[in-house]
Amino acid sequence: MNIRKAEIGDLQELLDIYNYEVEHGVATLDLQPKNIVEWEKWFSAHNVDNHPLFVAEKEGKVAGYASLSAYREKEAYRTTVELSIYIGPQYRRQGIATVLMEFILEQARRDERIHTVVSVITAGNAASTRLHEKFGFEFCGTIREVGMKFGQYQGIDNYRLTVE
Protein backbone atom coordinates (compact mmCIF):
# COMPACT_ATOMS: atom_id res chain seq x y z
CA MET A 1 0.00 0.00 0.00
CA ASN A 2 1.18 3.49 -0.83
CA ILE A 3 -0.01 6.71 0.83
CA ARG A 4 0.38 9.82 -1.31
CA LYS A 5 -1.02 13.28 -1.92
CA ALA A 6 -4.24 13.12 -3.92
CA GLU A 7 -4.02 14.20 -7.54
CA ILE A 8 -6.70 15.49 -9.89
CA GLY A 9 -6.48 12.18 -11.77
CA ASP A 10 -7.84 10.47 -8.61
CA LEU A 11 -11.02 12.54 -8.67
CA GLN A 12 -13.38 9.92 -10.13
CA GLU A 13 -12.17 7.19 -7.76
CA LEU A 14 -12.55 9.54 -4.77
CA LEU A 15 -16.04 10.45 -5.94
CA ASP A 16 -16.99 6.78 -6.38
CA ILE A 17 -15.85 5.96 -2.83
CA TYR A 18 -17.81 8.87 -1.38
CA ASN A 19 -20.95 8.25 -3.44
CA TYR A 20 -21.01 4.59 -2.43
CA GLU A 21 -21.40 5.77 1.16
CA VAL A 22 -24.02 8.35 0.16
CA GLU A 23 -26.11 5.62 -1.45
CA HIS A 24 -25.46 2.70 0.93
CA GLY A 25 -24.28 3.96 4.32
CA VAL A 26 -24.58 6.61 6.97
CA ALA A 27 -20.94 7.71 7.31
CA THR A 28 -22.13 10.78 5.43
CA LEU A 29 -25.56 12.27 5.81
CA ASP A 30 -25.58 13.52 2.23
CA LEU A 31 -28.70 12.13 0.58
CA GLN A 32 -27.86 12.67 -3.09
CA PRO A 33 -24.68 11.49 -4.83
CA LYS A 34 -22.23 14.24 -5.71
CA ASN A 35 -21.36 14.94 -9.31
CA ILE A 36 -17.93 15.57 -10.76
CA VAL A 37 -18.37 19.36 -10.80
CA GLU A 38 -19.24 19.41 -7.09
CA TRP A 39 -16.35 17.08 -6.36
CA GLU A 40 -13.90 19.29 -8.28
CA LYS A 41 -14.91 22.15 -5.98
CA TRP A 42 -14.37 19.91 -2.92
CA PHE A 43 -11.00 18.76 -4.30
CA SER A 44 -9.84 22.35 -4.92
CA ALA A 45 -10.37 23.16 -1.23
CA HIS A 46 -7.72 20.55 -0.33
CA ASN A 47 -3.95 20.36 -0.53
CA VAL A 48 -3.98 24.08 0.20
CA ASP A 49 -3.28 25.79 3.52
CA ASN A 50 -3.76 23.30 6.37
CA HIS A 51 -6.22 21.11 4.46
CA PRO A 52 -4.34 18.09 3.06
CA LEU A 53 -5.90 15.25 1.12
CA PHE A 54 -4.15 11.88 0.88
CA VAL A 55 -5.04 8.63 -0.83
CA ALA A 56 -4.20 5.07 0.04
CA GLU A 57 -3.31 3.30 -3.16
CA LYS A 58 -3.37 -0.47 -3.44
CA GLU A 59 -2.36 -2.28 -6.61
CA GLY A 60 -2.69 0.96 -8.59
CA LYS A 61 -6.21 1.72 -7.36
CA VAL A 62 -7.39 4.29 -4.81
CA ALA A 63 -8.54 2.20 -1.84
CA GLY A 64 -9.46 5.13 0.37
CA TYR A 65 -8.68 8.68 1.34
CA ALA A 66 -8.17 10.95 4.32
CA SER A 67 -8.68 14.70 4.39
CA LEU A 68 -8.49 17.60 6.78
CA SER A 69 -11.03 20.25 5.86
CA ALA A 70 -12.07 23.62 7.18
CA TYR A 71 -14.04 23.09 10.39
CA ARG A 72 -16.09 26.29 10.13
CA GLU A 73 -16.02 29.39 7.93
CA LYS A 74 -15.23 31.88 10.70
CA GLU A 75 -11.57 32.89 10.88
CA ALA A 76 -11.26 32.09 14.59
CA TYR A 77 -11.62 28.39 13.70
CA ARG A 78 -8.66 28.38 11.28
CA THR A 79 -6.47 26.22 13.58
CA THR A 80 -9.18 23.56 13.85
CA VAL A 81 -9.71 21.09 11.00
CA GLU A 82 -12.29 18.39 10.40
CA LEU A 83 -11.06 14.88 9.63
CA SER A 84 -12.70 12.59 7.11
CA ILE A 85 -11.63 9.07 6.19
CA TYR A 86 -13.45 7.00 3.60
CA ILE A 87 -12.52 3.51 2.44
CA GLY A 88 -13.86 1.81 -0.68
CA PRO A 89 -16.18 -1.09 0.20
CA GLN A 90 -13.92 -3.76 -1.28
CA TYR A 91 -10.95 -2.52 0.81
CA ARG A 92 -12.56 -2.40 4.25
CA ARG A 93 -11.28 -4.43 7.20
CA GLN A 94 -7.75 -4.47 5.79
CA GLY A 95 -6.21 -1.85 8.11
CA ILE A 96 -6.25 0.91 5.50
CA ALA A 97 -8.20 3.35 7.70
CA THR A 98 -5.66 2.87 10.49
CA VAL A 99 -2.74 3.58 8.16
CA LEU A 100 -4.48 6.66 6.75
CA MET A 101 -5.36 7.91 10.24
CA GLU A 102 -1.79 7.52 11.46
CA PHE A 103 -0.44 9.26 8.36
CA ILE A 104 -2.80 12.23 8.35
CA LEU A 105 -2.45 12.83 12.10
CA GLU A 106 1.32 12.89 11.69
CA GLN A 107 0.89 15.52 8.98
CA ALA A 108 -1.38 17.51 11.31
CA ARG A 109 1.20 17.37 14.10
CA ARG A 110 3.87 18.71 11.74
CA ASP A 111 1.69 21.63 10.63
CA GLU A 112 2.03 24.46 13.14
CA ARG A 113 -1.21 25.96 11.77
CA ILE A 114 -3.22 23.04 13.20
CA HIS A 115 -4.12 22.84 16.88
CA THR A 116 -7.24 20.67 16.97
CA VAL A 117 -8.61 17.90 14.76
CA VAL A 118 -12.37 17.35 15.01
CA SER A 119 -14.28 14.35 13.74
CA VAL A 120 -18.05 14.05 13.44
CA ILE A 121 -19.15 10.41 13.33
CA THR A 122 -22.68 9.23 12.68
CA ALA A 123 -23.80 7.71 15.98
CA GLY A 124 -23.55 3.94 16.04
CA ASN A 125 -20.59 3.69 13.63
CA ALA A 126 -18.63 1.35 15.90
CA ALA A 127 -15.69 0.87 13.53
CA SER A 128 -15.09 4.61 13.21
CA THR A 129 -15.54 5.12 16.95
CA ARG A 130 -12.94 2.42 17.71
CA LEU A 131 -10.52 3.94 15.20
CA HIS A 132 -10.77 7.39 16.77
CA GLU A 133 -10.47 6.09 20.31
CA LYS A 134 -7.39 4.08 19.29
CA PHE A 135 -5.71 7.35 18.28
CA GLY A 136 -6.65 9.21 21.46
CA PHE A 137 -9.60 11.26 20.28
CA GLU A 138 -11.76 12.59 23.11
CA PHE A 139 -15.53 12.04 22.94
CA CYS A 140 -17.25 15.43 23.24
CA GLY A 141 -20.90 14.44 23.06
CA THR A 142 -23.75 13.23 20.91
CA ILE A 143 -26.28 15.37 19.14
CA ARG A 144 -29.28 13.12 18.72
CA GLU A 145 -31.66 12.96 15.77
CA VAL A 146 -30.08 15.75 13.72
CA GLY A 147 -30.40 14.09 10.31
CA MET A 148 -32.84 11.84 8.52
CA LYS A 149 -31.45 9.15 6.24
CA PHE A 150 -32.93 5.87 5.06
CA GLY A 151 -36.13 6.69 6.97
CA GLN A 152 -34.42 6.96 10.35
CA TYR A 153 -33.19 9.85 12.41
CA GLN A 154 -29.42 9.86 12.75
CA GLY A 155 -27.35 11.36 15.54
CA ILE A 156 -23.75 12.49 15.43
CA ASP A 157 -20.93 11.82 17.87
CA ASN A 158 -18.33 14.55 18.17
CA TYR A 159 -14.66 13.82 18.82
CA ARG A 160 -11.58 16.02 19.13
CA LEU A 161 -7.84 15.61 19.35
CA THR A 162 -5.29 18.29 20.17
CA VAL A 163 -2.24 17.70 17.97
CA GLU A 164 -0.04 20.57 19.12
Side-chain angles (χ1 to χ4, degrees):
M1 180 172 39
N2 179 43
I3 306 293
R4 62 172 174 77
K5 182 178 169 182
E7 301 169 353
I8 194 69
D10 300 321
L11 198 58
Q12 187 62 55
E13 288 176 286
L14 298 171
L15 179 61
D16 292 345
I17 289 168
Y18 187 79
N19 280 341
Y20 179 87
E21 196 60 33
V22 170
E23 295 174 323
H24 302 284
V26 293
T28 177
L29 294 183
D30 271 329
L31 300 176
Q32 299 300 317
K34 298 292 184 182
N35 62 48
I36 200 74
V37 173
E38 292 169 312
W39 217 235
E40 286 171 347
K41 183 178 178 185
W42 169 84
F43 185 88
S44 70
H46 292 89
N47 290 328
V48 295
D49 298 325
N50 59 349
H51 304 127
L53 170 60
F54 296 101
V55 298
E57 192 176 49
K58 197 166 184 182
E59 299 172 359
K61 301 284 188 191
V62 174
Y65 67 89
S67 64
L68 298 178
S69 305
Y71 174 63
R72 296 282 187 267
E73 298 281 327
K74 294 177 175 66
E75 188 178 354
Y77 293 116
R78 72 183 173 277
T79 62
T80 298
V81 292
E82 185 170 349
L83 168 70
S84 295
I85 296 179
Y86 286 88
I87 308 299
Q90 67 274 34
Y91 296 103
R92 294 179 183 170
R93 293 182 169 80
Q94 297 178 31
I96 296 169
T98 298
V99 172
L100 278 168
M101 177 75 90
E102 185 172 39
F103 188 87
I104 202 154
L105 290 179
E106 182 57 34
Q107 301 304 307
R109 286 183 180 96
R110 291 180 184 172
D111 190 331
E112 61 189 32
R113 299 169 295 179
I114 298 175
H115 176 74
T116 301
V117 177
V118 170
S119 197
V120 178
I121 303 170
T122 305
N125 185 338
S128 189
T129 297
R130 281 191 308 273
L131 179 66
H132 285 76
E133 289 174 350
K134 176 179 177 178
F135 283 91
F137 278 77
E138 170 191 4
F139 175 71
C140 298
T142 298
I143 304 174
R144 299 185 196 308
E145 298 183 1
V146 293
M148 171 70 77
K149 189 167 184 181
F150 302 134
Q152 294 183 328
Y153 280 105
Q154 305 292 327
I156 53 172
D157 292 337
N158 298 279
Y159 286 83
R160 67 175 289 281
L161 178 70
T162 300
V163 294
E164 206 169 50

